[in-house]
């Protein structure tokens, strides 16, 4: 049922991940090329982001087999070609499943707490026609530029 998660997220959400921790060597090793990358520190005035929760993540399971069997019992005349879409619809209408989807977007395992991550989320119930989040930020919104792990103040 991972496809339902991915499809829902890809179609209806645009997520940008940011960090408040520009000095972490672990972050530089994960997200730059041998510490040769750069970070732009923005001054974002309006709260258009949400802090990620760090928790011990526990897996949850949906049995595709059991879900399919329950649909076949409920709709005995359903066509084979309609079963997948009915399974997706059933999951999307399940409040527990949708709560798990929401939680998965804003939760990372505690092992990643050093990232101090925040996420910008744009949602659109009818789906997006573009692949990016567009927020108007100008050079006045830039506080500093971090190069290869060292802070270099900018004067823009």
């Amino acid at each position: 049922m991972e496809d339902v998660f991915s499809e829902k997220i890809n179609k209806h959400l645009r997520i940008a991940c940011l960090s408040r921790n520009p000095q972490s060597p672990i972050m530089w090793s994960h997200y730059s090329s041998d510490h040769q990358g750069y970070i732009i520190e923005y001054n974002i005035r309006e709260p258009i982001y949400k802090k990620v929760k760090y928790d011990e993540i526990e897996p949850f399971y949906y049995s595709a087999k059991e879900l399919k069997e329950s649909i076949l019992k409920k709709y005995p005349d359903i066509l084979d070609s309609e079963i997948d879409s009915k399974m997706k619809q059933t999951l999307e209408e399940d409040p527990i499943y949708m709560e798990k989807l929401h939680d998965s977007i804003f939760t990372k395992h505690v092992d990643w707490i050093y990232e101090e991550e925040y996420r910008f989320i744009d949602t659109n119930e009818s789906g997006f026609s573009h692949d990016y989040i567009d927020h108007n930020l100008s050079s006045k919104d830039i506080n500093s530029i971090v190069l290869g792990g060292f802070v270099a103040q900018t004067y823009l």
Side-chain angles (χ1 to χ4, degrees):
M1 302 296 32
E2 182 180 331
D3 290 345
V4 178
F5 266 143
S6 297
E7 182 179 313
K8 197 77 169 160
I9 290 169
N10 291 335
K11 184 175 181 183
H12 300 283
L13 299 176
R14 294 295 175 255
I15 303 172
C17 303
L18 303 172
S19 173
R20 289 194 178 269
N21 189 357
Q23 298 300 328
S24 168
I26 300 170
M27 292 284 286
W28 282 95
S29 67
H30 280 302
Y31 300 111
S32 73
S33 299
D34 298 321
H35 299 260
Q36 296 176 16
Y38 65 92
I39 296 171
I40 299 174
E41 178 189 9
Y42 291 101
N43 177 26
I44 300 171
R45 292 175 288 283
E46 54 187 279
I48 56 176
Y49 53 84
K50 183 173 179 173
K51 187 172 183 176
V52 171
K53 291 186 315 184
Y54 295 94
D55 203 350
E56 292 288 336
I57 297 174
E58 298 202 12
F60 69 100
Y61 302 95
Y62 280 83
S63 168
K65 181 180 176 185
E66 290 175 18
L67 183 57
K68 185 176 182 177
E69 287 172 1
S70 70
I71 288 170
L72 290 171
K73 283 180 187 173
K74 190 173 182 178
Y75 306 98
D77 297 330
I78 193 168
L79 299 174
D80 286 344
S81 60
E82 297 173 327
I83 292 174
D84 281 348
S85 66
K86 184 54 84 175
M87 289 173 71
K88 288 179 184 181
Q89 178 186 353
T90 301
L91 289 174
E92 290 172 355
E93 292 171 355
D94 180 343
I96 294 170
Y97 181 85
M98 293 309 289
E99 181 183 332
K100 296 289 187 183
L101 173 63
H102 181 270
D103 288 348
S104 72
I105 294 168
F106 291 106
T107 306
K108 289 181 92 166
H109 193 274
V110 292
D111 289 349
W112 295 92
I113 198 164
Y114 65 87
E115 287 189 342
E116 299 179 48
E117 185 175 331
Y118 286 76
R119 292 185 179 169
F120 292 81
I121 309 281
D122 278 353
T123 60
N124 185 328
E125 285 297 317
S126 59
F128 283 100
S129 60
H130 57 277
D131 293 332
Y132 57 89
I133 296 175
D134 190 15
H135 288 285
N136 293 325
L137 297 172
S138 71
S139 61
K140 290 182 239 172
D141 297 313
I142 297 174
N143 287 339
S144 67
I145 297 176
V146 180
L147 303 170
F150 298 99
V151 176
Q153 294 297 323
T154 59
Y155 300 95
L156 303 174

